[in-house]
Amino acid sequence: MHSHWRCDNCGDVPPFHVAEHINAEIVGTVLRESSSAPERIPLWGPWPLPPGWTITGVGWAGDDRSGVRATALACSGPEPLGGGPADLVFIAEQPGVGLGTRFAGIPGIDPGYLLSEALAEHGAGCGPHAKIKVGGHPTPLWCVKSPEDRSAYVSEAKGMWLYAVAWPASAGYLLAEHVVLHDLSDGVPPELVFGAPSPYLHGRV
């Protein structure tokens, strides 16, 4: 007996947990879970929030034996090109977890091969597709191939994979603006605004 879930394509994967509701207290509970892991996993959240955006969900992958191995934070707000509502999920994970690839809609458990393809296709002399600040450091993001209904960006921060997955695909343009990701483990801003639960984080779309 073991606590892992079994994926037909990827094998054993850590179970994914999603909070049914979202508020500051629930975020604090997830942070306590992640801080008790052998290696603390950051919970990346945009701060300050882009105008009109709210925090709409939080989740984590892991079990009592291995601890938290990945975190996910969902946000919702106006689509940057004016086309309606948009959703973003930011994921931090250790190598070999597969949570980010699941949300990105890409095969496998690590995006290294897709990242190599993106770098080769974009050209060695060109810059990344987007740049944001993560934990106080300028961080490049590379767009990898994903289903047409979303856009998926991958990078590395604190020695772990960082994903930003956006619905619809055009919502990824938000990352071309001045986005700053703050590790909520270092403190949850009291001004954070929470909204209705994200359907993407809860798997209802």
Side-chain angles (χ1 to χ4, degrees), residues 91-113:
I91 296 163
E93 69 173 42
Q94 296 173 340
V97 175
L99 183 63
T101 54
R102 170 190 165 183
F103 279 98
I106 57 181
I109 57 176
D110 281 323
Y113 72 101

Side-chain angles (χ1 to χ4, degrees), residues 8-98:
D8 291 338
N9 296 320
C10 304
D12 289 344
V13 293
F16 182 51
H17 315 268
V18 181
E20 286 298 318
H21 306 285
I22 184 67
N23 55 40
E25 183 178 351
I26 290 172
V27 171
T29 299
V30 175
L31 291 174
R32 286 191 292 274
E33 288 280 346
S34 63
S35 65
S36 64
E39 183 179 8
R40 184 170 68 85
I41 312 297
L43 179 63
W44 297 120
W47 185 254
L49 285 168
W53 281 71
T54 62
I55 303 297
T56 54
V58 65
W60 68 99
D63 54 34
D64 292 339
R65 180 175 58 84
S66 61
V68 175
R69 299 189 57 203
T71 61
L73 189 85
C75 312
S76 301
E79 200 266 327
L81 299 183
D87 290 86
L88 267 168
V89 175
F90 295 101
I91 296 163
E93 69 173 42
Q94 296 173 340
V97 175

Side-chain angles (χ1 to χ4, degrees), residues 125-153:
C126 299
H129 296 106
K131 288 183 179 179
I132 62 176
K133 184 172 283 189
V134 182
H137 301 284
T139 302
L141 290 175
W142 298 95
C143 188
V144 297
K145 292 180 180 178
S146 61
E148 293 182 356
D149 67 332
R150 73 200 74 178
S151 56
Y153 295 80

Side-chain angles (χ1 to χ4, degrees), residues 163-177:
Y163 294 81
V165 185
W167 294 266
S170 57
Y173 283 106
L174 182 75
L175 300 170
E177 302 176 6

